Amino acid sequence: MISASDYAFLQTMLKTRSGLVLAADKGYLIESRLLPVARQFGCATLGELVARLRTPGAHAEVQSVVEAMTTNESFFFRDKLPFDAFQAVVLPALIQQTSAGQTIRIWCAAASSGQEPYSLAMLLSENPALVAGRRVEIIATDISQPILERAREGIYTQFEVQRGLPVHYLAKYFTKVGDRWQISPQIRRMVTYKFVNLLDNFSDLGIFDVVFCRNVLIYFDVETKRSVLERMATIMRPEGVLVLGGAETVLGLTAAFQPLESQRCLFRVDRAGSRTAKDGALQSKPVAWRLPNAATA
């Protein structure tokens, strides 16, 4: 068992270091995920581990705890809808708005073990006409160094390649390595992985046309969500598109983005960023984005 004071310390540390809000009833999660970390650093109990975390210079211990507590659930073409919308709506609009020599830049934030950016890379490789000859750069980031190394290797279990990955993609883009599957060098070269903590300044990543930030904001409190979203808006082009998870929204958080009409989970940058208050809440109006003959997702 972990003491109340140690639990409170972990709550504060995780919130400060990663934005993760640890509820009061997650003691079982602490024990299952942090006991291996305690053993890794020679601590017999969680109390000993927390005592180490409280000492100055415990950077390795702190990073290991953050990595252990961060959820890394991901799978190929997760939820499918955002990928359909990316292909049918987002890319056609970007082609209309960019010149032939311009690079289309995509950021996958909190990319975990790489299934999301690799899904985008395979989609683009399978349908080169979608970008009309333009270069595409995919940047994928995460807060965990071990998970980034795993993503770079692009090696997945049989279970992982069976979750959402079309069979013909497996045959075309993967090679069997023992009892696992490794994605092709061609697809791996399309994605650049970097360490990024969303609580920190990420402006040095450059300017993006599309940002995928799915299923990570749900772990943050309101102020952290607002901060992340508003800082993301500053590194996106005026016509940039944000893709959130099915349970996430900008509504009530910020006016830096507005929802795209009839496009679930898609949001356009609003450069005006005007905040209209009504009963203390931010107001947002869906932005119409109609393309000739473009299917809605």
Side-chain angles (χ1 to χ4, degrees):
M1 289 290 293
I2 188 168
S3 70
S5 62
D6 284 349
Y7 195 89
F9 173 83
L10 287 172
Q11 285 179 307
T12 301
M13 189 199 79
L14 288 167
K15 170 70 167 56
T16 302
R17 298 280 182 160
S18 70
L20 176 66
V21 176
L22 186 65
D25 61 349
K26 298 296 182 181
Y28 68 94
L29 197 61
I30 288 285
E31 294 192 15
S32 64
R33 294 194 180 184
L34 295 191
L35 278 174
V37 177
R39 297 188 193 102
Q40 174 189 342
F41 289 100
C43 301
T45 66
L46 290 179
E48 288 184 24
L49 176 62
V50 173
R52 289 275 290 272
L53 295 172
R54 293 177 187 270
T55 62
H59 304 299
E61 292 89 338
V62 169
Q63 183 63 22
S64 293
V65 166
V66 170
E67 289 171 354
M69 292 303 299
T70 302
T71 300
N72 287 308
E73 171 74 1
S74 184
F75 51 92
F76 292 102
F77 294 96
R78 183 176 184 178
D79 302 330
K80 194 174 182 296
L81 175 65
F83 298 96
D84 290 343
F86 176 75
Q87 181 173 346
V89 179
V90 176
L91 277 178
L94 288 177
I95 297 306
Q96 287 186 2
Q97 296 159 7
T98 59
S99 60
Q102 188 171 325
T103 297
I104 295 174
R105 302 192 74 236
I106 303 168
W107 176 22
C108 292
S112 187
S113 45
Q115 286 95 322
E116 178 178 83
Y118 286 145
S119 294
L120 292 171
M122 286 186 286
L123 188 155
L124 292 169
S125 182
E126 195 76 2
N127 304 280
L130 286 173
V131 294
R134 288 160 176 77
R135 181 174 177 269
V136 178
E137 183 179 1
I138 303 173
I139 305 296
T141 67
D142 202 86
I143 195 174
S144 168
Q145 289 287 10
I147 208 72
L148 285 170
E149 287 304 314
R150 182 165 178 246
R152 290 187 185 102
E153 291 178 350
I155 298 177
Y156 301 95
T157 65
Q158 183 69 39
F159 174 71
E160 287 171 323
V161 297
Q162 288 176 331
R163 299 183 74 192
L165 184 68
V167 174
H168 68 282
Y169 278 28
L170 178 63
K172 184 172 182 178
Y173 296 112
F174 288 77
T175 301
K176 196 76 180 292
V177 180
D179 60 350
R180 298 186 179 190
W181 295 86
Q182 184 169 33
I183 202 162
S184 70
Q186 167 202 346
I187 298 300
R188 277 182 280 147
R189 283 193 296 267
M190 294 176 67
V191 183
T192 300
Y193 288 95
K194 297 184 178 184
F195 175 88
V196 168
N197 185 334
L198 293 177
L199 300 190
D200 297 337
N201 179 15
F202 42 69
S203 61
D204 60 348
L205 291 175
I207 302 299
F208 293 94
D209 300 281
V210 185
V211 173
F212 281 74
C213 183
R214 301 196 300 146
N215 307 304
V216 61
L217 296 181
I218 55 176
Y219 298 105
F220 297 161
D221 62 17
V222 169
E223 287 305 317
T224 304
K225 290 176 185 178
R226 179 176 295 119
S227 172
V228 171
L229 288 168
E230 293 185 348
R231 285 182 291 119
M232 280 182 171
T234 67
I235 63 167
M236 295 179 68
R237 299 193 196 279
E239 299 300 323
V241 178
L242 172 68
V243 186
L244 295 182
E248 296 167 325
T249 184
V250 304
L251 302 180
L253 294 171
T254 178
F257 295 95
Q258 300 295 338
L260 276 174
E261 186 176 1
S262 303
Q263 302 296 332
R264 182 169 167 261
C265 303
L266 298 188
F267 303 85
R268 277 272 294 278
V269 173
D270 183 356
R271 276 285 179 261
S274 59
R275 294 171 176 264
T276 305
K278 181 180 180 182
D279 298 328
L282 292 171
Q283 302 302 303
S284 297
K285 294 183 179 180
V287 177
W289 191 7
R290 295 286 184 237
L291 296 172
N293 302 318
T296 57

